[in-house]
Amino acid sequence: MTTADATLPADVRSARSGDRRARARLVVAALAVLVAVTGFLSLAVGATGFTPGTAARALMASLSGADTAGTLANVIVMEIRLPRTLLGLLVGAGLAMSGVVMQGLFRNPLADPALVGVSSGAALAAVMIIVAGGLLPSAFAVLPQPFMLPAAAFAGGLATTIALYRIATRNGRTSVATMLLAGIALGALSGALTGLAIYASDDQQLRDFTFWSLGSLAGGTLQKAVLTAPFILAALLAIPYLGDRLDGLLLGEAEAGHLGVEVQILKRVAIGLVALAVGGAVAAAGPIGFIGIVVPHLLRLVIGPRHRNLLLASALLGAALLVGADMVARTVVAPAELPIGIVTAILGAPFFLWLLLRQRALLDV
Amino acid sequence: MKTLLRLPGLAPLLAAAFIAAVPAAAAKDTTADTLTEKDRARVVSIGGSITEILYALGLQDRIVAVDTTSLYPPEALEENPNVGYMRALSAEGVLATEPGLIVAEPDSGPAEAIDQLKAASVPFLTVPDTPSPEGVLEKIAAVGEIMDREDDAGDLAAKVKADFAALDKETGKIDAPRKVLFILSAQGGRLLVAGKQTGADAIIRLAGGHNAVGDISGYKPISNEALIAAAPDAIVMMSRGDHSASADGILSHPAVAQTPAGKEKRLVVMDGLFLLGFGPRTPQAADALARALYPESGIAPLPERPWAAAETQ
């Protein structure tokens, strides 16, 4: 609904918003199909060139409980591609939906899920584990080795978000502007400490950290997917209930308050859910950029700013895009693979620039 | 609502969840004894020195894929698919080469990919990697055992051992050991140098030199003052490999120029894998380094060996 619509006759207006609702429904349905298709392709496509039929049979056999464990096709589909695909769907949906929430909360289309400080805190925790993990006597290692890094990344991300939230909240009111600035400061601090850890690291640790920071679904095991799912799913299921309140917030905090939105509670819940989703995503796959900005932005252009549809559509498109990017990452240089962060940035950055230029033309600034 | 952000209480729960989700079953490790000839017919070789040993044993026709560090002999990467960097392997990528067997250096990874390979019942064997003459012989023996070529590996190891003995004799001609600084990279004027517990340190000592920065350990950045204080007589750098250290201009680096090495323009540039790979060519590498460091000592080249014959820069 643009302000220009207000001058139109009522019937035209309702027809327009009806159009838009119908279009949004159509887009959501189309995206749901896209997710299903991408998800299946992701199981059927990979460095090992067996046909989609073989993949489908391996999947069917496993689901029906036939004893096919250990055959190569079965291992590749069930133990390598399926966990990656599930993780990709979760992480992509989580990042994109978190992007919508952050942009609504900050009333800025360029807000990024990383603004809650999750990524910088997670990176700091990750580099500390990579560099100092070997120094910890095994008695201190609370968790088995493979889970130390994701757990630390998750905890580090959440701790940073809590710190940010505390800094930005005074007398029961959270200032998003303060949060943005404090986020920059905390990000710089995390960056400096990360630099310190990098300084103390050896060559191999440095490479491990570099690969981690580029993001990858390669570590996707079924365990990791199962462990990550509760955090991201909790956010994915809860965030849509915030949709109408986020719509109200678009008018401004005071106006939303007059509409009956509990602004302070909304902020707290939204930030908490985003931290859960992004924390889970970063812990499982490292920091992956652009999904959280590009997806909501693009969909706003197609179906408008109403959150109810936007959240759902963004989750679907984010999931499909990330799984698609992962397919590119693991086939384009086969038998090796690219870190997925490189793929999302190579595809995302030019697209994002195009969006910006297009918007400038529209606004004629 | 307030409880939502009071998350510290979650930590023990999380820890419990993580621990609960870890399966008790450990992956079964294959040993060389359980391998079949069919397994040995399709080898994925992860690590430059392993690829070198396979070629030296004449087993190159068994190789179906190598990693990015397999730079010698040059045809290894030309003739075989590349499964990527040894620490960022893709499980499915490796499986796509239909391996019968994967032979890898110890720090190959990531752990998840290795576990997935083991789950796919592909035998995955690591070969010990210690940067020392004993380590080289041990590595050759381990590859021989895995490939069921103990006799050939024994011959190769004996010849390499003889080369090390010849190297010892040659470096005995050195009167005064020089202080040598290995520079891994010089990005933007910041020097990353090799302290002790590095392959570079080991090869410097094999070539009859002292590590100028033997009091630090690992690869570390060094300040200009510390570099001048270390006063190296010679600088060693890699010509290519993972770190494209640009050797040109290193002598005009303000701090390097102040050192004996800078004043006497004593800079040695060698191939990275040759220098640091710790494979069958290591005696030749140490000898070549010694000849470059001590041109006045009359050190002779070691006898020609077929596995060290290909051109390296």
Side-chain angles (χ1 to χ4, degrees):
Chain A
M1 268 286 240
T2 55
T3 41
D5 284 22
T7 58
L8 295 169
D11 54 337
V12 178
R13 223 164 44 210
S14 73
R16 269 212 180 184
S17 66
D19 271 358
R20 193 162 243 182
R21 261 203 293 277
R23 175 143 65 134
R25 272 199 295 272
L26 194 67
V27 167
V28 168
L31 286 174
V33 173
L34 180 70
V35 168
V37 171
T38 327
F40 177 71
L41 275 181
S42 173
L43 294 178
V45 173
T48 327
F50 51 68
T51 60
T54 315
R57 274 194 299 279
L59 191 65
M60 284 305 163
S62 303
L63 293 180
S64 64
D67 188 25
T68 53
T71 64
L72 191 63
N74 178 280
V75 167
I76 286 172
V77 174
M78 297 309 292
E79 305 219 9
I80 296 176
R81 291 183 190 171
L82 181 67
R84 274 187 96 137
T85 305
L86 292 176
L87 204 57
L89 291 172
L90 279 172
V91 168
L95 289 175
M97 209 186 235
S98 301
V100 178
V101 174
M102 292 309 284
Q103 288 153 19
L105 212 54
F106 285 86
R107 289 194 298 286
N108 181 336
L110 300 185
D112 178 83
L115 278 183
V116 291
V118 168
S119 303
S120 56
L124 175 59
V127 77
M128 284 171 91
I129 285 289
I130 289 169
V131 173
L135 304 176
L136 291 172
S138 47
F140 276 95
V142 200
L143 306 168
Q145 202 51 40
F147 296 107
M148 287 291 282
L149 199 153
F154 186 74
L158 239 46
T160 319
T161 306
I162 292 169
L164 258 188
Y165 178 82
R166 288 279 160 89
I167 290 168
T169 307
R170 306 215 35 188
N171 312 328
R173 284 199 61 249
T174 307
S175 151
V176 287
T178 309
M179 195 159 168
L180 195 63
L181 293 169
I184 292 170
L186 279 187
L189 191 62
S190 296
L193 293 172
T194 304
L196 208 56
I198 285 174
Y199 170 79
S201 68
D202 67 26
D203 199 43
Q204 299 296 13
Q205 292 165 340
L206 182 60
R207 279 173 175 247
D208 282 347
F209 178 68
T210 307
F211 273 101
W212 179 85
S213 65
L214 291 170
S216 174
L217 295 174
T221 55
L222 209 46
Q223 268 179 351
K224 218 181 222 183
V226 167
L227 286 171
T228 312
F231 303 110
I232 300 185
L233 277 179
L236 286 177
L237 295 173
I239 288 174
Y241 291 104
L242 307 178
D244 291 347
R245 296 183 182 87
L246 286 168
D247 284 342
L249 202 58
L250 284 180
L251 304 169
E253 286 190 25
E255 292 79 354
H258 296 313
L259 288 175
V261 177
E262 295 266 18
V263 175
Q264 186 52 34
I265 293 177
L266 170 65
K267 280 184 198 165
R268 191 183 294 160
V269 173
I271 290 167
L273 290 172
V274 167
L276 274 187
V278 181
V282 175
I288 297 174
F290 280 104
I291 297 274
I293 293 190
V294 171
V295 170
H297 216 70
L298 175 69
L299 287 168
R300 241 182 241 105
L301 293 176
V302 179
I303 62 174
R306 281 212 51 188
H307 280 92
R308 190 183 307 180
N309 294 318
L310 187 59
L311 286 166
L312 190 56
S314 291
L316 291 169
L317 184 58
L321 264 187
L322 196 66
V323 170
D326 187 50
M327 270 193 272
V328 173
R330 59 200 170 82
T331 51
V332 78
V333 291
E337 69 175 67
L338 284 173
I340 196 166
I342 297 177
V343 180
T344 54
I346 283 179
L347 302 175
F351 178 75
F352 192 55
L353 280 173
W354 173 79
L355 274 184
L356 286 179
L357 292 172
R358 190 166 174 269
Q359 230 179 1
R360 278 198 55 178
L362 282 179
L363 298 171
D364 207 10
V365 197
Chain B
M1 277 304 171
K2 234 188 152 68
T3 50
L4 187 66
L5 284 177
R6 287 272 162 81
L7 286 163
L10 261 178
L13 276 179
L14 271 181
F18 275 112
I19 289 169
V22 177
K28 57 173 188 346
D29 279 325
T30 331
T31 59
D33 318 334
T34 56
L35 294 171
T36 66
E37 274 312 295
K38 197 161 157 279
D39 295 337
R40 296 189 179 100
R42 296 190 63 82
V43 180
V44 176
S45 172
I46 314 274
S49 61
I50 294 174
T51 306
E52 268 190 60
I53 294 169
L54 288 170
Y55 270 81
L57 294 172
L59 296 171
Q60 56 271 33
D61 56 333
R62 310 289 192 86
I63 298 177
V64 292
V66 294
D67 73 318
T68 43
T69 65
S70 299
L71 297 163
Y72 187 91
E75 60 263 35
L77 267 170
E78 288 158 14
E79 291 169 355
N80 297 298
N82 174 356
V83 293
Y85 177 55
M86 59 186 285
R87 293 171 68 77
L89 298 172
S90 154
E92 190 181 344
V94 174
L95 289 176
T97 64
E98 295 168 34
L101 161 67
I102 299 158
V103 190
E105 284 179 7
D107 47 8
S108 307
E112 291 98 344
I114 308 293
D115 289 344
Q116 287 168 331
L117 289 169
K118 285 178 177 166
S121 326
V122 179
F124 185 94
L125 291 107
T126 50
V127 170
D129 180 30
T130 331
S132 65
E134 300 71 38
V136 172
L137 302 179
E138 191 186 13
K139 205 186 275 187
I140 294 170
V143 174
E145 190 191 351
I146 289 168
M147 296 306 289
D148 198 23
R149 285 285 188 280
E150 278 95 340
D151 293 354
D152 296 353
D155 291 348
L156 176 63
K159 286 172 183 156
V160 173
K161 198 173 173 178
D163 285 348
F164 275 118
L167 168 74
D168 250 1
K169 204 162 136 266
E170 293 301 327
T171 52
K173 299 174 180 172
I174 296 164
D175 302 330
R178 291 207 161 103
K179 284 197 284 183
V180 183
L181 178 74
F182 180 86
I183 300 181
L184 182 69
S185 77
Q187 286 297 317
R190 281 181 66 255
L191 304 181
L192 199 61
V193 300
K196 59 176 185 289
Q197 286 155 1
T198 59
D201 180 84
I203 199 83
I204 286 169
R205 283 185 287 112
L206 275 177
H210 278 314
N211 189 343
V213 290
D215 45 355
I216 57 178
S217 63
Y219 291 97
K220 289 276 165 18
I222 189 170
S223 72
N224 289 352
E225 283 181 47
L227 174 70
I228 293 169
D233 301 308
I235 303 239
V236 179
M237 290 181 83
M238 297 193 301
S239 56
R240 55 167 200 172
D242 310 298
H243 310 267
S244 50
S246 97
D248 340 321
I250 194 72
L251 291 172
S252 56
H253 181 281
V256 175
Q258 297 302 316
T259 63
K263 288 177 182 142
E264 291 162 34
K265 306 254 181 294
R266 204 180 298 269
L267 166 70
V268 184
V269 180
M270 280 170 75
D271 175 80
L273 179 67
F274 184 43
L275 198 60
L276 304 176
F278 283 87
R281 294 182 300 152
T282 294
Q284 282 76 8
D287 183 77
L289 180 57
R291 277 181 287 133
L293 291 174
Y294 305 99
E296 69 289 344
S297 297
I299 295 171
L302 296 184
E304 289 271 317
R305 295 292 191 185
W307 57 84
E311 283 298 311
T312 52
Q313 294 170 344

